[in-house]
Amino acid sequence: MEPRAKVRRLAGKQLLCTARNRALITDRPVESGGTDIGYTSGELLLLAIGSCATGGLRAFFDTRGLPSQDMVTEVFFEPAAPGERDRIVIEIGLSEELLQAGADAIKAAATSGRVASRVKLGSVIEVRFAGR
């Protein structure tokens, strides 16, 4: 079954987000009218991409018997010129030993998971009305 998430409004800018049997609250920073008790939606997107990329990289290095426990993945938005799309950057901190596996293969592994690959391919977002 494909993953599903539900989001409901709480107080102020806070939203209750649930998936499977887990829950978290999103919020906005104080300067944006929130209380800053939870991640923003953009931060959750970056965390999802980073988790997916790191999982793909871990599997890639594990199959080659290479130790990757010190690997660090950072994901961030890189603003574009007006009228253009921002870039999502996956920056991978690797040892020289891990880099020997090949830059192209490592880049492919970082975008091989279900989340990162869908974002990379530009998945279609469709809005539907429930019960219609």
Side-chain angles (χ1 to χ4, degrees):
M1 183 169 99
E2 288 295 315
R4 291 182 79 98
K6 287 188 179 183
V7 180
R8 289 191 165 81
R9 186 171 181 188
L10 294 175
K13 304 277 182 163
Q14 297 172 5
L15 302 172
L16 175 63
C17 308
T18 59
R20 294 186 299 139
N21 60 344
R22 311 265 191 295
L24 63 83
I25 294 173
T26 63
D27 198 5
R28 304 297 307 160
V30 173
E31 61 271 14
S32 297
T35 59
D36 204 22
I37 67 161
Y39 294 109
T40 66
S41 301
E43 291 166 337
L44 287 173
L45 175 62
L46 295 175
L47 288 166
I49 294 168
S51 176
C52 182
T54 304
L57 290 163
R58 179 192 58 222
F60 173 81
F61 291 121
D62 284 355
T63 61
R64 287 156 180 77
L66 296 169
S68 61
Q69 57 270 29
D70 294 333
M71 172 182 60
V72 176
T73 307
E74 187 173 350
V75 184
F76 55 93
F77 294 113
E78 189 174 82
E84 294 183 17
R85 285 181 164 181
D86 287 350
R87 181 179 302 264
I88 298 172
V89 178
I90 301 171
E91 189 173 84
I92 310 161
L94 298 174
S95 67
E96 288 298 321
E97 178 186 12
L98 294 179
L99 283 171
Q100 298 303 313
D104 289 340
I106 293 169
K107 288 178 182 180
T111 57
S112 64
R114 292 177 65 184
V115 173
S117 64
R118 286 176 177 166
V119 171
K120 182 180 177 184
L121 292 173
S123 287
V124 173
I125 297 176
E126 179 181 331
V127 178
R128 297 177 184 170
F129 295 98
R132 302 203 191 294

